[in-house]
Amino acid sequence: MDIDNHFLRACRRELVDVTPVWFMRQAGRYMPEYRAIREKYSLLEICYHPELAAEVTLQPIQTLGVDAAILFADILLPAIPLGVGLEFTKGEGPILQNPIFTMDDVRALNPVNVQTDLGYVMEAIRILRGALNGIPLIGFCGAPFTVASYLIEGGSSREFLKTKTMMYSDPHTWHALMEKLSSVLADYLVAQISAGAQAVQVFDSWVGALSPSDYEMFVLPYSQKVLQAAKTEGVSVIHFGTNTTTLLPLMKRAGGDVIGLDWRIPLDDGWALLGNDVAVQGNLDPVTLFAPLPELRARVHDVLRRANGRPGHIFNLGHGILQNTPVDHVKAVVDMVHEYSAVRA
Ligand code: CP3
């Protein structure tokens, strides 16, 4: 069942009868079932209780009929045992109370034992593998750059001013931080795979803020370390970023069997930049889900036409589902993707 599933086959660029589809952030506030749980528990409480995390992970499987489950967790969970003081505040997103500015701050980060410090994540994976009935489970982590940006900025950012300033003015501290983060994140992914994750995605959501040369010098070796560690475990690895049109060849060099594309580049052009020896995931604009169904259908078909039935396309958005997205439109996209592939066959 594992090996023959069409999502896993597509990750390996094998032939499939139906294009697989799942969505980044497919569990979340746009779903009434999720909001019902969030009324009783905070985001971190859901993560800390493996049975709740498993329940939330399963919600989009039941409601949408997607072809893969993504573990419910957050890319910032490893920040908790590192000791930087993570909080999620209403409306403002994540806040880190002790951001990193200096080499002393990097040295003060706690050592992390992923099995004990993040054991609740591995427990959720084990519960899910028992509950998913053959639907593959995707584990994930943030890429070192994107996680570092939160640790340095103390939260979300537009310009990445502090992050890039550290790179340019204090590269020793930057490299020490990336060294530390990439070790923890590599261990974390390997632990998720050992617990049962059948594919993993590395989210470098904000790396598009960098020029190719900065990416190559300050990021690539560390992303490579994380992606390589997962690859060695024998599962398919998805490497995702946004705003990465000029970075795609370097991201491919860093690693990944599947590269995520956002909507800023047509899927066929992105695939051409990457070459035939890699699979692609994407790339519908999440805002398209707010459009009327005929317009949405035209745009879903455009993505599928550009993929042209080539082995190695996984349908997804170019970034996560937004709050207030109509659930019936998300479900309609799953059906559109499956029907389109069936007609083509
Ligand atoms: O369904 C899934 O995709 C699995 C769960 C998941 C969450 N976060 C839960 C979550 C995943 C894969 C993530 C990844 C994540 N977290 C990323 C990378 C993906 C991306 O969107 O670029 C990033 C940058 C984060 C950091 C993060 N977590 C931010 C910036 C926020 C606040 C923004 C917001 O939407 O409120 C979060 C909170 C968060 N993580 C929510 C969810 C469902 C929303 C929170 C809630 O219930 O309060």
Side-chain angles (χ1 to χ4, degrees), residues 71-91:
L71 169 72
F72 191 83
D74 194 88
I75 61 161
L76 294 175
L77 294 179
I80 300 168
L82 282 167
V84 287
L86 175 67
E87 259 181 43
F88 285 93
T89 55
K90 241 201 170 94

Side-chain angles (χ1 to χ4, degrees), residues 178-191:
M178 291 294 273
E179 198 56 66
K180 169 87 193 172
L181 286 178
S182 53
S183 298
V184 171
L185 295 167
D187 286 355
Y188 182 43
L189 269 195
V190 168

Side-chain angles (χ1 to χ4, degrees), residues 25-27 29 34 38 73-75 140 150 203 205 319:
R25 295 285 189 99
Q26 63 191 16
R29 281 172 300 197
Y34 176 80
R38 276 286 276 115
D74 194 88
I75 61 161
F140 71 92
Y150 284 97
F203 283 91
S205 305
H319 203 170

